[in-house]
Amino acid sequence: MFKITNYTDNDDVKVIAEKGSFQVVEFQRDLSVSPFDAQVQYFMTQMNVKKKQLLINLQNADVTIQAGAMQWMLGDVKATTGIKGAGDFLGKMIKGSVTGEAAIKPEYKGTGMLALEPTYKHILLLDVSEWGGQVVIDDGFYLASEDGLKQKLVARSNFSSAVAGGEGLFNLSLVGNGVAALESPVPQEELIEVELKDDVLKIDGNLAIAWSSSLNFTVERSGKSLIGSAASGEGLVNVYRGTGKVLMTPVRSMKIGALEGALEQ
């Protein structure tokens, strides 16, 4: 039995999202500042640059998280590697090498709680059932998922253009029923959701965070010919074709990781 005080009941901590086993808390102000960085922290708060933290209630479901993301755990919690043999280990190593994600993602089970490392990135909670039970995640956005979701690799339809576009050949796909937590460079309020029905979406750059597995994803020239692509000034574009949804940011990814590193120094 445990009890937590001066955390979510603190007026400086606000629960901004809750879904499935996950809660996202936001620290309204950073009170642990020195006279040397107080001014920077003040203006960061005014511009909604605030730390967030993912809380996980393991009584609802076992979870898998990104390697190195755990900050503290409370109660009867057991951590495993999730490896079920040599073949499974090799498969996870291959999956990690082609998606840029950690090869081994620890799995946590029990009846306690888990808190992940605070971040200045925005944490999105995605119910995969609302995406037809299967969603593709762009590289680097995965944070955690419930055990009802299995991780698979999906390949690009045209390998040569994917390499030319610098997008890689594979992406991580989450399949099943459950909630996933993603890290985003922009808040939920600014994300654009595009729903396609036998139509096509073309994006200049990797602005898409997630998309339905039912969509055919390719990297193509923006024009029908090399001359047409050169004239448009766009070159290669990411193309999502078919029926499904795409979740995209209005701006390119910010270097939030560099910001966090600078503030910790």
Side-chain angles (χ1 to χ4, degrees):
M1 183 66 116
F2 57 81
K3 181 181 179 181
I4 303 175
T5 58
N6 197 34
Y7 188 30
T8 55
D9 57 336
N10 187 316
D11 61 2
D12 196 49
V13 179
K14 181 180 179 182
V15 177
I16 59 173
E18 189 170 6
K19 191 173 291 188
S21 304
F22 302 125
Q23 274 188 330
V24 181
V25 300
E26 181 181 73
F27 299 89
Q28 302 305 296
R29 296 170 297 165
D30 191 346
L31 301 179
S32 304
V33 298
S34 70
F36 304 101
D37 59 2
Q39 183 177 0
V40 173
Q41 293 290 349
Y42 172 79
F43 285 108
M44 286 174 60
T45 301
Q46 298 304 305
M47 293 303 297
N48 198 36
V49 181
K50 303 173 182 177
K51 278 189 175 181
K52 290 91 178 170
Q53 187 169 32
L54 184 67
L55 294 182
I56 304 172
N57 186 348
L58 293 174
Q59 293 182 356
N60 297 328
D62 299 339
V63 298
T64 301
I65 70 171
Q66 189 65 271
M70 192 275 291
Q71 188 188 53
W72 55 267
M73 50 187 175
L74 177 65
D76 182 19
V77 180
K78 297 179 177 63
T80 69
T81 61
I83 298 175
K84 301 176 178 61
D88 186 43
F89 175 73
L90 180 60
K92 283 181 166 62
M93 290 295 291
I94 295 173
K95 184 186 301 181
S97 65
V98 299
T99 61
E101 304 284 351
I104 307 301
K105 297 182 176 67
E107 298 179 2
Y108 291 85
K109 56 184 63 180
T111 58
M113 291 187 64
L114 192 67
L116 304 194
E117 290 283 356
T119 176
Y120 282 107
K121 295 179 182 178
H122 301 274
I123 301 174
L124 312 177
L125 301 182
L126 209 68
D127 188 342
V128 177
S129 66
E130 298 175 357
W131 292 73
Q134 188 167 355
V135 63
V136 182
I137 308 298
D138 199 26
D139 297 345
F141 289 94
Y142 175 87
L143 181 59
S145 58
E146 295 178 331
D147 63 344
L149 297 172
K150 304 304 178 186
Q151 300 181 23
K152 295 184 177 181
L153 287 181
V154 293
R156 303 291 170 88
S157 298
N158 52 345
F159 286 176
S160 59
S161 62
V163 173
E167 296 292 337
L169 302 179
F170 298 91
N171 286 106
L172 177 67
S173 175
L174 299 177
V175 183
N177 293 313
V179 178
L182 310 180
E183 289 185 305
S184 168
V186 301
Q188 180 80 49
E189 294 82 1
E190 291 187 0
L191 289 175
I192 302 168
E193 183 176 303
V194 179
E195 188 168 352
L196 300 173
K197 186 173 182 180
D198 295 325
D199 216 324
V200 59
L201 170 66
K202 297 182 179 182
I203 304 175
D204 178 20
N206 57 340
L207 300 182
I209 290 178
W211 57 93
S212 301
S213 297
S214 56
L215 293 172
N216 182 29
F217 177 31
T218 61
V219 181
E220 304 173 6
R221 292 195 300 266
S222 59
K224 293 184 178 180
S225 66
L226 290 175
I227 296 176
S229 296
S232 68
E234 299 298 337
L236 296 171
V237 293
N238 289 345
V239 180
Y240 305 83
R241 185 177 283 108
T243 299
K245 297 192 297 184
V246 179
L247 193 64
M248 59 182 289
T249 67
V251 295
R252 296 188 186 278
S253 297
M254 298 174 288
K255 304 297 184 183
I256 297 180
L259 168 64
E260 291 178 329
L263 291 173
E264 290 173 357
Q265 293 179 354

